[in-house]
């Protein structure tokens, strides 16, 4: 009886790839060699820069160095020293990279430092190459942009837990007779804004702890594929002098919010300048971006159709009764709509939107201070109620989508994927705890992590296994 051909499922293909990685690693490397060719992807300018840098022949080819560093990220090897050990012990890995002999640790380091700009050019080229692939996978998610900031902790003394603990112990001893003193808050105020060895390593509050990092901004699409990486360093601030990333207030969360909101505009501008054909439909961000000036920028200047940003409690006080507005746009007393509030000038501030200030109509100056004499005050503050109005206020209330609806909830759940991508770069790819404080080396490692993810997108597209496009981990686990 004639036997029909059996259709292979994705599960069968996945099982075969899993068996190859576990039992026959050379065949797995052959899969990479068969479908992936660096010479088709590396920009010609990178090739010229590498071979013209010394004016003589190189001991190791450009493709060999890149293959080794990409392989390091794919396999999650945390340090170059350990990568060298793997290459030394495995002939298959050396053959895959094209090494007759293994480079020294310093040669890998110099490669990163000397060609970090070319790595960024390479990364941007891969973004353009992978854009049609992402659109083919899911056009809506490909046209969704998610922005977040994070930091790579540098290898400095301030990141040692003993540093802050010793400061807290000293404060506890000094204020042992004064229990009302918050030594932890005081310790934060006494911590320097930057590391002693390099003032570009800034203090940041990440995931509930203080650390000293090189801060960066990252854009991904709704599929979790990285679209843009920007180091918020001195070079970035020189290019965008309007950015404020190192303001220090009494609140660590507020410090990070100010940096995030002001970095959004220049990063998006750089991204669209580099990739003018990139789709833009939905923007997702956390409450740090909830600023009245953000919504017109996203919806009008950038032409996003929807901007999903949760309301930040610092921008409103929902515990107090909210005022209405008359036909002239004046806010009214929350408890007596016949009394319009009194205009009190314009307010400006770093990291905040321009706004008009309105005060309670029952307040008067006494001894140089404003005092409220309302018989039924709507706030416990002796100063009286204060309300701010903003330009384009309706865009914040209606950012292309109705807040707190089912559609909002479904779309906004995708925002978490940017944090998953950052975590994937830091943990499985091993860039989260570098044993260096050199900015160029850390930046190159971050770009290589992005390059590696984009390489996996291209590889998965070529072998038509879109189910595993975000990472080779499912293929090699």
């Amino acid at each position: 009886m004639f036997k029909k051909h059996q259709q292979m499922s994705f599960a069968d293909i996945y099982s075969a790839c899993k068996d190859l990685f576990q039992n026959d690693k050379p065949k797995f490397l052959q899969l990479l060699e068969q479908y992936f060719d660096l010479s088709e992807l590396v920009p010609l300018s990178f090739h010229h820069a590498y071979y013209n840098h010394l004016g003589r022949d190189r001991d190791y080819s450009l493709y060999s160095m890149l293959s080794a560093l990409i392989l390091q990220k794919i396999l999650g090897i945390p340090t170059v020293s350990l990568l060298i050990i793997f290459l030394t012990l495995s002939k298959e890995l050396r053959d895959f990279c094209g090494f007759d002999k293994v480079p020294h640790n310093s040669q890998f380091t110099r490669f990163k430092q000397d060609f970090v700009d070319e790595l960024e050019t390479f990364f941007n080229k891969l973004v353009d190459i992978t854009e049609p692939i992402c659109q083919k996978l899911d056009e809506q998610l490909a046209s969704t942009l998610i922005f977040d900031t994070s930091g790579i902790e540098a290898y400095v003394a301030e990141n040692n837990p003993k540093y802050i603990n010793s400061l807290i112990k000293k404060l506890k001893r000094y204020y042992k007779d004064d229990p009302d003193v918050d030594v932890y808050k005081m310790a934060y105020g006494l911590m320097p804004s930057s590391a002693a060895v390099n003032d570009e390593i800034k203090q940041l509050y990440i995931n509930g702890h203080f650390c000293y990092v090189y801060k960066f901004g990252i854009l991904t699409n709704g599929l979790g594929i990285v679209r843009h990486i920007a180091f918020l360093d001195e070079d970035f601030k020189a290019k965008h002098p309007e950015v404020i990333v190192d303001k220090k207030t009494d609140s660590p969360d507020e410090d990070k919010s100010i940096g995030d909101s002001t970095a959004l505009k220049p990063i998006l501008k750089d991204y669209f300048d580099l990739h003018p054909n990139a789709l833009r439909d939905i923007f997702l961000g956390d409450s740090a971006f909830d600023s009245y000036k953000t919504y017109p920028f996203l919806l009008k200047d950038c032409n996003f159709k929807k901007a999903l940003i949760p309301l930040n409690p610092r921008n409103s006080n929902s515990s107090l009764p909210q005022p209405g507005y008359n036909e002239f746009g004046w806010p009214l007393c929350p408890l007596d709509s016949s009394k319009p509030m009194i205009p009190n000038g314009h307010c400006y501030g770093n990291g905040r939107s321009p706004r008009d200030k309105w005060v309670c109509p029952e307040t008067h100056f006494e001894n140089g201070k404003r005092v409220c004499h309302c018989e039924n005050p709507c706030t416990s503050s002796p100063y009286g109620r204060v309300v701010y109005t903003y330009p384009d206020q309706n865009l914040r209330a209606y950012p292309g989508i109705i807040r707190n609806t089912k559609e909002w909830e479904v779309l906004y759940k995708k925002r978490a994927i940017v944090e998953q991508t950052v975590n994937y770069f830091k943990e499985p790819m091993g860039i989260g705890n570098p044993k260096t404080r050199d900015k160029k080396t850390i930046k190159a490692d971050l770009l290589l992590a992005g390059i590696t993810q984009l390489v996996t997108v291209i590889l998965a597209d070529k072998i038509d296994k879109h189910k595993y496009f975000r990472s080779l981990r499912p293929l090699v686990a």
Side-chain angles (χ1 to χ4, degrees), residues 131-149:
E131 181 66 21
I133 301 174
C134 293
Q135 294 177 17
K136 181 170 61 175
L137 289 168
D138 192 311
E139 186 171 347
Q140 184 189 47
L141 293 180
S143 62
T144 299
L145 279 182
I146 312 171
F147 178 65
D148 199 8
T149 60

Side-chain angles (χ1 to χ4, degrees), residues 326-472:
N326 64 17
E327 66 272 22
F328 303 108
W330 286 41
L332 306 175
C333 173
L335 301 181
D336 186 353
S337 59
S338 66
K339 298 179 180 179
M341 301 187 76
I342 301 173
N344 195 41
H346 303 283
C347 299
Y348 302 91
N350 289 334
R352 300 295 301 274
S353 304
R355 55 205 183 278
D356 297 321
K357 183 178 180 180
W358 306 78
V359 297
C360 176
E362 298 296 332
T363 57
H364 307 282
F365 276 100
E366 295 180 4
N367 299 323
K369 294 182 179 180
R370 187 179 293 276
V371 180
C372 180
H373 293 279
C374 183
E375 296 180 357
N376 185 23
C378 58
T379 176
S380 59
S381 172
Y383 186 91
R385 184 66 182 274
V386 176
V387 173
Y388 296 95
T389 57
Y390 297 78
D392 293 314
Q393 187 168 2
N394 286 338
L395 288 180
R396 181 173 182 249
Y398 307 102
I401 184 175
I402 301 176
R403 294 181 179 273
N404 298 327
T405 59
K406 187 65 176 180
E407 182 187 9
W408 174 286
E409 293 176 359
V410 171
L411 288 175
Y412 193 73
K413 286 181 180 179
K414 296 295 182 182
R415 200 206 72 82
I417 204 166
V418 70
E419 298 178 355
Q420 297 171 12
T421 300
V422 171
N423 181 69
Y424 180 71
F425 285 179
K426 289 185 178 181
E427 298 299 332
M429 289 196 186
I431 68 169
N433 188 28
K435 299 301 180 183
T436 180
R437 63 176 68 102
D438 182 75
K439 180 181 70 174
K440 289 185 176 180
T441 303
I442 293 176
K443 183 177 181 179
D445 277 325
L446 180 59
L447 290 168
L448 283 165
I451 288 169
T452 302
Q453 189 195 41
L454 298 179
V455 163
T456 63
V457 175
I458 296 171
L459 176 63
D461 181 66
K462 288 187 175 182
I463 60 178
D464 199 23
K465 296 177 178 57
H466 295 153
K467 186 176 180 180
Y468 314 111
F469 68 92
R470 256 184 282 174
S471 164
L472 277 185

Side-chain angles (χ1 to χ4, degrees), residues 255-290:
D255 288 344
K256 186 176 186 298
S257 296
I258 292 172
D260 288 0
S261 61
T262 54
L264 173 64
K265 183 174 181 179
I267 287 179
L268 279 179
K269 183 179 182 301
D270 287 347
Y271 171 67
F272 289 126
D273 286 345
L274 287 168
H275 314 286
N277 296 324
L279 296 180
R280 62 189 88 177
D281 184 42
I282 301 172
F283 175 85
L284 302 180
D286 60 23
S287 60
F289 305 107
D290 179 35

Side-chain angles (χ1 to χ4, degrees), residues 1-40:
M1 189 177 196
F2 180 74
K3 186 177 181 180
K4 295 181 179 180
H5 293 289
Q6 184 177 2
Q7 179 70 38
M8 289 189 66
S9 66
F10 272 120
D12 297 328
I13 298 172
Y14 172 71
S15 298
C17 291
K18 182 177 178 180
D19 291 340
L20 280 178
F21 179 76
Q22 291 178 341
N23 304 317
D24 198 344
K25 293 184 185 295
K27 284 190 177 180
F28 175 75
L29 295 178
Q30 289 173 10
L31 182 68
L32 294 178
E33 291 177 327
Q34 180 179 356
Y35 290 101
F36 182 67
D37 186 0
L38 271 176
S39 64
E40 297 178 353

